[in-house]
Structure formats: structure tokens, C-alpha cells
Amino acid sequence: MVDKLVEKTAPAVQLETEARTKGERTRTRLLDVAYDSIVHKGFAATSIEELVEAAGITKSGFFYHFKDKNDLARQLFDRFLGEDEGIIETLETRARELSDDPLQSFLIFLNLYAQMMDDMETLHPGCMVASITYQERMFDADVHQMNVDYLLRMRERFTRWLSEIAESNPPRQEVDLSALADNLTGIVEGAIILSKALNDEGLMGRQTRLYRNHIKLLFGG
């Protein structure tokens, strides 16, 4: 009896799994298309119509996955931040595994970060953080707060690491560690814009290495 029940329910479970997988692929495709459009043209210039056409679905298909355009933005930004922070976490873990010394591990981290930028096959298309900041009025309060929270997390992460460095290697001149932490984020965001404007694929890596040299000089590494 149980075997017959399993035989009857198995196809239904398979169909449900296939539908869910197809739905996830469609949602991912929509997010990919939206990211490319937003960082190239802006949020206001990105229409639901062009997204559904590019994804090969109907408009009702879009609203199956997202309540509205702002919901799309929230989910897209959440994915972007998760991926970005995942990369930072992975590089930090690797750097700290290679050295127990906070300064040396931070220098290793910056080198790994620069190498990652060097290995990008094409110019970075843009950054959601910059896009949302520049087009703040186009996004709702939730997206704006996500942006602020992310930047504060980056500040806290790097300030904490720099504080570890300062304890064992006092800086050669007085420095605001929070500002120094923000400096790294500012360099990365600015380098994305410069590399795109100047069509210079190596600019992001070079700018990160300049920051690395500044850290070495400041803390005597």
C-alpha cells in the first residue's frame, strides 16, 4: 500500500520540483537582466517591459516573482550585498589563515583583493551601491537603509581590523581609523567609476595597491 502511494506521489513531487527549479531560474534571469540594466542605464530608465522581454516571460510572470519594481530592487540589492560581503569574508578568512599578524594579514587581504580585480575578464559594469546612492530618490526607504547598513558594516569590519593593527603597530602619525576604513571603500567605489570612464581594466587593482602601500607606510609594515 505504501509503495503504491509512493508511486502515485513521486511524479507529482518531481513536477513540483521541476516547476520550482524553473521558477528559480526565471527569477535569477530577471535579477541578472535588471542588474545589467540598472548599472548601465539607471533604475528610472529600466522598465518592467524591457525586463520581461529580455527574460522571455510575460508581465504576469514578473509579478509572480516580484510585487513591484521596488521589490525587484530590494531583492536584487540583497543578492548583490550577499555576494559582495561573501567575497570580502572569504578573502579575509584566507588572509588571516596565512598570517596571525593583523598588519600582515591585512596587507595580504589587500593584495588578494587587488589580484581579484586584475583577474576580472572585463571592466566592472558598475556597482549597485553607487547606483542607489546617486539615484536615491528612485528607490524606497528600505533600499536606502540597506545601502546605509551595508556601508556601516564595511566601516565596522575594516575599523575593527585596523584597530587590531594599531595595537601592535602604532601608526607613525595620528589617524582616524574609521576614516581610514572608509577610505578603502571610497577607493574601491571610485576606482569602479574611473576604470569605466577611462576604459582601464587595471585601474582598480592599481588603486587598491596604492592603498596597501599607504597602510605599509603608516603602520611600518
Side-chain angles (χ1 to χ4, degrees), residues 36-109:
D36 186 67
S37 180
I38 289 171
V39 298
H40 281 97
K41 301 192 309 178
F43 186 66
T46 299
S47 68
I48 292 177
E49 287 74 18
E50 70 174 277
L51 295 180
V52 299
E53 181 178 354
I57 63 172
T58 63
K59 206 166 185 179
S60 62
F62 174 90
F63 289 109
Y64 173 80
H65 294 283
F66 309 104
K67 290 186 294 185
D68 51 31
K69 194 176 170 184
N70 267 304
D71 184 39
L72 166 69
R74 284 190 293 272
Q75 293 193 43
L76 177 60
F77 197 37
D78 184 61
R79 186 183 74 164
F80 174 85
L81 295 181
E83 292 174 349
D84 192 68
E85 292 188 78
I87 291 171
I88 298 297
E89 182 67 34
T90 298
L91 295 181
E92 179 177 346
T93 298
R94 178 59 177 156
R96 288 186 181 273
E97 288 174 346
L98 293 172
S99 178
D100 293 330
D101 178 78
L103 174 57
Q104 293 307 314
S105 64
F106 192 56
L107 294 176
I108 291 170
F109 165 81

Side-chain angles (χ1 to χ4, degrees), residues 121-214:
E121 295 181 359
T122 57
L123 281 172
H124 198 295
C127 176
M128 281 292 292
V129 172
S131 297
I132 289 171
T133 302
Y134 296 147
Q135 306 168 61
E136 180 179 348
R137 294 183 180 180
M138 299 293 104
F139 298 90
D140 65 17
D142 289 340
V143 174
H144 172 67
Q145 192 59 50
M146 289 170 68
N147 201 25
V148 172
D149 291 343
Y150 165 77
L151 293 172
L152 291 176
R153 286 196 303 274
M154 289 297 101
R155 173 187 289 173
E156 181 181 358
R157 173 187 290 273
F158 294 125
T159 300
R160 183 170 59 249
W161 204 343
L162 290 167
S163 297
E164 292 178 38
I165 295 171
E167 287 181 9
S168 56
N169 296 74
R172 294 178 174 177
Q173 63 184 56
E174 186 175 347
V175 61
D176 182 332
L177 297 180
S178 292
L180 190 60
D182 287 343
N183 188 204
L184 176 56
T185 301
I187 285 172
V188 172
E189 296 297 327
I192 291 173
I193 296 171
L194 277 174
S195 65
K196 187 176 179 64
L198 301 176
N199 196 36
D200 185 347
E201 295 182 12
L203 190 144
M204 289 187 289
R206 292 198 305 274
Q207 288 295 311
T208 303
R209 290 185 177 92
L210 280 175
Y211 180 83
R212 182 178 184 275
N213 289 340
H214 177 55

